[in-house]
Amino acid sequence: MSRFFPFYWLVAALLLGSLPSSAQVPSYVLLEGTSVVQTKNYYLLTLFQQVDEVKRLLEKDAELAEMARAKRTQLSRSLTECEKTHTCFTERMKLSEAEISRVSDRLKQLYQPQNALGKLVAQHLVPSGTYILFGKVPSAELLVKAWEQDARGLNYALGVYAEGQKPHYPNIDSISYLPRGRRYFDLVYTATEAIADESQKATLFFEPTLNAALRFLEINHRSEAADFEPMTATVNKAAYDRLKSTSWDKYPYSLILVPGSGPSEPQVALSGIGLLRCRTAALRYFEGMAPFIMVSGGRVHPYQTPYSEAYEMKKYLVETMKVPESAILMEPHARHTTTNLRNCARLIYRYGLPFDKPYLISTSKSQSFYISSSTFEERCQKELLHLPYRPGKRLSNTETEYYPVLGALHSNPFEPLDP
């Protein structure tokens, strides 16, 4: 499998010209699905379930209702028809390209600017920014592109976490089992029974596949996307509550971003380089460079570590460096340097920090120059399909300024641990 994302997503990105700034609404709150993992990965599908008017429209459509029945039947029959390989089950869970195209065509036919689907695009898809990389396209086309991304994202999750295909980063994101032999076959059979049972009353055409993707992420203990959520009520509450009273004009930067660095040893909570990055950032904070420090990094290294880089860095800053908790924002989901910057931009936007004000990245010299290199730009284009930042000036070997960009809002279900 290619390390990078599917070609159809790249084509979409090439069409990007960011939507007008008035199109997105910073105060927009994502509707919650059955789980945080679902909401972050498959937002259109979440909207299909949660917006009653849309749900009724899709349920009543004869062609889409028949697809739901057919998918339920495929799952049930697999329990008696699949006897040799686990992929016999998983292939029936997935959405075929023919099925995806069939739904795309039907959504185009059902869409009207003033009906439930039209309102969905105008009131949710565009304001949320979650599909912003699809650019300025007609509303019906945006709806279809969002559907096709979510559908193929479900298939990707099943390919990796049910079938054992290689993810983009195998060393940290791979399946938790050896996907071969009778023992694994029995696991998938049992999972299929549970998914078929859960999907018996499914009325929407995608729900059996959605249930399957979510269950296999759960079976693999891959809930990283939900860590510490809702953060404004948990780990970020003290800092979030302080944002409204911050006098931004007093500071040259909105925040100091510290990218994480996971240790190699399973028993080590915070690496030496991560500790040193925090110490340097604390010095800049006490110099008055910014009112907040953002520590960024998830449960990444080593494979399936229980330690969150962001949490351990925050702990060090508070306990050792005596930085007030109300001055520390955690971003505990990024798994790569690319997403350190992307997720930082997202929180700046969602939390209402000044979006036109630069932020400062404080890190080790080697990473600082890597982030400002053309190699890193190329990696962002390949993996994120855009640059999630606009570069500013370099201050020192360890500090460089950057500006957030709206493209960072786009959800990416092809990295389901941090979409």
Side-chain angles (χ1 to χ4, degrees), residues 32-337:
E32 293 185 9
T34 58
S35 69
V36 173
V37 172
Q38 173 186 328
T39 300
K40 287 187 174 183
N41 276 286
Y42 318 111
Y43 192 53
L44 177 66
L45 305 187
T46 299
L47 292 172
F48 282 169
Q49 289 181 321
Q50 298 301 318
V51 180
D52 290 340
E53 188 180 4
V54 174
K55 185 177 181 181
R56 287 193 296 269
L57 175 66
L58 299 177
E59 287 175 333
K60 290 179 180 178
D61 183 77
E63 185 171 349
L64 296 179
E66 173 54 34
M67 287 187 67
R69 285 192 292 272
K71 212 66 184 173
R72 294 197 306 267
T73 300
Q74 286 178 9
L75 273 175
S76 297
R77 287 182 177 175
S78 69
L79 293 170
T80 57
E81 295 175 355
C82 293
E83 298 179 350
K84 294 183 179 180
T85 64
H86 65 274
T87 54
C88 177
F89 298 105
T90 57
E91 282 300 322
R92 300 189 191 197
M93 296 174 191
K94 291 180 178 180
L95 290 156
S96 69
E97 282 301 313
E99 288 172 324
I100 293 173
S101 295
R102 185 179 171 190
V103 172
S104 295
D105 292 340
R106 194 65 194 135
L107 290 175
K108 289 177 188 176
Q109 294 166 3
L110 290 172
Y111 175 88
Q112 295 293 331
Q114 301 307 317
N115 73 0
L117 289 175
K119 293 176 183 177
L120 182 82
V121 174
Q123 297 174 8
H124 293 283
L125 289 197
V126 173
S128 73
T130 49
Y131 299 92
I132 192 174
L133 287 187
F134 293 140
K136 295 179 181 179
V137 297
S139 294
E141 187 175 346
L142 175 59
L143 178 66
V144 168
K145 286 180 177 293
W147 151 248
E148 291 177 351
Q149 174 181 291
D150 282 13
R152 291 177 177 127
L154 293 175
N155 287 348
Y156 178 85
L158 287 168
V160 173
Y161 295 107
E163 296 177 342
Q165 296 175 13
K166 283 188 177 182
H168 303 131
Y169 286 87
N171 290 340
I172 56 174
D173 296 338
S174 292
I175 191 172
S176 301
Y177 307 91
L178 289 175
R180 60 178 181 268
R182 190 68 200 182
R183 187 172 182 178
Y184 188 70
F185 180 91
D186 290 344
L187 174 65
V188 176
Y189 180 93
T190 304
T192 306
E193 279 190 312
I195 294 162
D197 188 24
E198 183 180 5
S199 303
Q200 278 185 0
K201 297 181 180 179
T203 56
L204 294 172
F205 53 92
F206 60 86
E207 286 181 321
T209 305
L210 173 63
N211 291 339
L214 293 175
R215 290 297 74 74
F216 273 97
L217 283 167
E218 185 177 54
I219 289 168
N220 281 269
H221 310 291
R222 288 302 196 172
S223 61
E224 286 93 334
D227 283 358
F228 302 102
E229 296 287 8
M231 292 191 294
T232 55
T234 58
V235 292
N236 283 343
K237 186 179 189 307
Y240 184 75
D241 290 346
R242 183 177 158 234
L243 286 170
K244 293 179 182 178
S245 61
T246 300
S247 300
W248 299 103
D249 291 342
K250 294 181 179 179
Y251 304 92
Y253 300 102
S254 61
L255 59 81
I256 301 166
L257 174 64
V258 187
S261 177
S264 302
E265 304 81 9
Q267 72 278 11
V268 176
L270 179 62
S271 71
I273 195 72
L275 181 154
L276 291 170
R277 290 175 184 177
C278 288
R279 180 169 285 274
T280 302
L283 295 176
R284 300 293 88 79
Y285 166 77
F286 286 120
E287 289 170 2
M289 298 293 282
F292 297 95
I293 295 175
M294 181 180 289
V295 285
S296 176
R299 291 186 283 130
V300 186
H301 298 285
Y303 177 75
Q304 289 202 343
T305 178
Y307 296 110
S308 164
E309 293 173 8
Y311 180 83
E312 299 302 330
M313 288 193 290
K314 177 180 177 179
K315 183 178 176 182
Y316 175 80
L317 285 169
V318 171
E319 295 181 358
T320 303
M321 299 305 297
K322 307 306 178 184
V323 177
E325 183 181 7
S326 61
I328 303 173
L329 290 163
M330 270 179 56
E331 187 293 292
H333 303 115
R335 304 181 69 75
H336 312 287
T337 308

